[in-house]
Amino acid sequence: MSGRSHPVTACRACGGALGATFCDLGTMAVANSYVPPDRAGAPEPAFPLRCVVCDECRLVQLDTVVDAEGIFSDYAYFSSASASWLDHARRFAAAMTERLGLGAGSFVVEVASNDGYLLRNFVAAGIPCLGIEPAANVAEVARAGGVPTETRFFGAAAARDVVARRGHADLVVANNVLAHVPEVNDFAAGLALLAGPAGVVSIEAPHLVRLVEGVQFDTIYHEHYAYWSLLSMETLLARHGLRVFEVERLPTHGGSLRVLASAADRGEGAGLRDVRTEEAARGLDGNAFYQGFDARVRAVLAGFRGWLDGALAEGRRIGAYGAAAKGNTLLNAAGVRAPQILAVADRSPAKQGRLLPGSHIPVVTPEALLAMAPDDILVLPWNIGAEIAAQLRANGFRGRLLTAVPEMREIVA
């Protein structure tokens, strides 16, 4: 993990002045930089984790940027680890194939294609495709699975290169990557270049409105440079000649938007008008919407910390499930350290045998966690809590299953 970072003094999207603090989580380790046990005593890079609001385009963004190559060149997140996410990808591929009439003469590109979780559906359908993925270890898994994948960061230069070799794409997919991009204008320019005059760009991103509603502060971490509303996203895309023509609300990641855009005029769908209306009614173009979130975060952290201290005082053995980045934000913001939590289970072999950044809680297999016989298991990736709870119950766990965001509660499964 690189120790390089730099402060942000102007909006990375529009260059406007950065205004009020949205949320300040202090200084912490990078959420997906898992620690080998032999490095447990070594200094661990830590950086400020604070979000501010642009006074002009209202983009919520970190005011300290950590070197992207240090974060993403070797990455510990594999999309295929979640069965529900694989099903989401399958349904998306089928819907877009039908909507755009994709076939053997088409070309689909996914940016930040991870381990090929989505493009494998296009491969299976005989639709030519290409993945662009900066993490070499993850891209290799995709290629081994039969998904054509190039290992590189995406931007205007990469787009021009692909177009020169393969032509424009009929569909450019950018799912859950926009938050991860430090140079958003270069990235958006690349999307526009790759789609050309007729292609469609599909972007999925967690919706800022849902983040605020659900006090989803644990989705704030150094890998997420910005937190998007439709308002700020439309402003960015329009700067690069892309018109949003439809928006769909999704349940993923606590509430996301699927935004479809094109250089061509495709009209405006009802979903786009609906989300625009909601954001206007909530006042996303003013100041009040962004105020008070930090105080709500403090209340959630106090509730979690109070529960954990009480459970430990009673002698309860606490485990956790899901070595997810959001869980690391929660644990580190609350000051949790090993051995307050026995271990965290995760199905990803890339994380097993390592320690969580900051807290240094060991990551083990689900079977190893259950063998420790915890009284309670804290499910950290609450967005797939029901899926995880069902798996744990099926494997015989009879203790309490809980989540901490937006408040401490038991998961009924």
Side-chain angles (χ1 to χ4, degrees):
M1 171 63 222
S2 169
R4 292 184 295 172
S5 68
H6 64 270
V8 176
T9 56
C11 176
R12 292 180 301 102
C14 74
L18 298 179
T21 296
F22 176 71
C23 182
D24 188 347
L25 294 171
T27 299
M28 65 176 68
V30 174
N32 271 314
S33 293
Y34 296 85
V35 180
D38 60 359
R39 296 282 298 167
E44 193 172 4
F47 308 92
L49 188 58
R50 181 173 52 247
C51 291
V52 295
V53 186
C54 172
D55 285 339
E56 302 298 324
C57 72
R58 316 309 290 171
L59 178 63
V60 173
Q61 57 200 283
L62 299 186
D63 66 0
T64 298
V65 166
V66 178
D67 169 42
E69 296 218 5
I71 293 176
F72 297 115
S73 295
D74 184 78
Y75 203 47
Y77 178 76
F78 290 78
S79 296
S80 293
S82 169
S84 60
W85 190 245
L86 289 176
D87 184 59
H88 173 76
R90 179 190 57 76
R91 287 183 281 108
F92 167 81
M96 294 306 290
T97 296
E98 180 178 358
R99 179 169 192 154
L100 301 180
L102 302 175
S106 305
F107 182 38
V108 175
V109 178
E110 185 181 14
V111 178
S113 51
N114 202 264
D115 58 8
Y117 75 101
L118 185 145
L119 289 180
R120 67 179 67 168
N121 295 286
F122 293 103
V123 170
I127 299 170
C129 63
L130 174 68
I132 299 176
E133 169 55 49
N137 63 317
V138 181
E140 183 54 40
V141 171
R143 286 190 289 268
V147 177
T149 305
E150 296 181 3
T151 304
R152 66 195 304 181
F153 281 88
F154 180 77
R160 281 191 289 268
D161 180 48
V162 172
V163 171
R165 290 182 287 115
R166 303 284 299 270
H168 294 295
D170 299 281
L171 173 63
V172 181
V173 183
N175 284 354
N176 296 292
V177 61
L178 194 58
H180 295 264
V181 179
E183 302 297 335
V184 291
N185 283 295
D186 181 58
F187 184 83
L191 297 177
L193 285 166
L194 191 52
V200 168
V201 174
S202 177
I203 298 171
E204 289 183 20
H207 191 192
L208 180 66
V209 171
R210 303 286 88 81
L211 185 153
V212 170
E213 274 185 347
V215 205
Q216 297 168 5
F217 71 94
D218 55 343
T219 62
I220 297 172
Y221 39 91
H222 295 104
E223 293 92 325
H224 285 170
Y225 300 106
Y227 305 83
W228 293 88
S229 62
L230 176 61
L231 173 68
S232 55
M233 198 185 303
E234 276 202 275
T235 303
L236 171 69
L237 295 176
R239 188 177 302 120
H240 299 280
L242 290 170
R243 305 182 185 186
V244 175
F245 63 88
E246 186 58 291
V247 176
E248 181 182 354
R249 288 187 174 89
L250 304 172
T252 53
H253 296 292
S256 298
L257 298 179
R258 176 180 293 151
V259 175
L260 302 181
S262 178
D265 185 357
R266 294 173 176 259
E268 294 186 353
L272 169 59
R273 294 191 295 271
D274 182 47
V275 177
R276 276 184 184 157
T277 299
E278 179 190 16
E279 290 194 353
R282 289 176 174 265
L284 268 74
D285 58 348
N287 293 321
F289 175 81
Y290 306 91
Q291 296 170 347
F293 184 74
D294 195 64
R296 295 171 66 204
V297 171
R298 304 293 148 209
V300 174
L301 287 170
F304 168 56
R305 189 72 239 191
W307 169 81
L308 181 60
D309 290 344
L312 293 172
E314 293 171 8
R316 299 185 70 83
R317 294 165 52 81
I318 311 299
Y321 194 104
K326 57 167 51 73
N328 292 327
T329 293
L330 169 70
L331 295 171
N332 288 325
V336 178
R337 295 292 180 268
Q340 293 170 314
I341 290 180
L342 300 170
V344 57
D346 200 279
R347 293 173 62 191
S348 171
K351 298 178 184 180
Q352 293 163 3
R354 297 193 176 195
L355 308 175
L356 295 185
S359 67
H360 285 196
I361 297 166
V363 183
V364 300
T365 65
E367 294 77 14
L369 178 66
L370 293 177
M372 295 176 185
D375 299 301
D376 303 323
I377 294 180
L378 179 68
V379 177
L380 297 171
W382 43 259
N383 53 304
I384 54 172
E387 175 185 338
I388 291 170
Q391 292 170 3
L392 289 169
R393 292 298 189 215
N395 287 317
F397 181 69
R398 294 294 175 260
R400 291 190 302 183
L401 294 166
L402 306 105
T403 56
V405 178
E407 61 195 3
M408 287 304 306
R409 64 176 180 86
E410 285 196 51
I411 302 173
V412 178

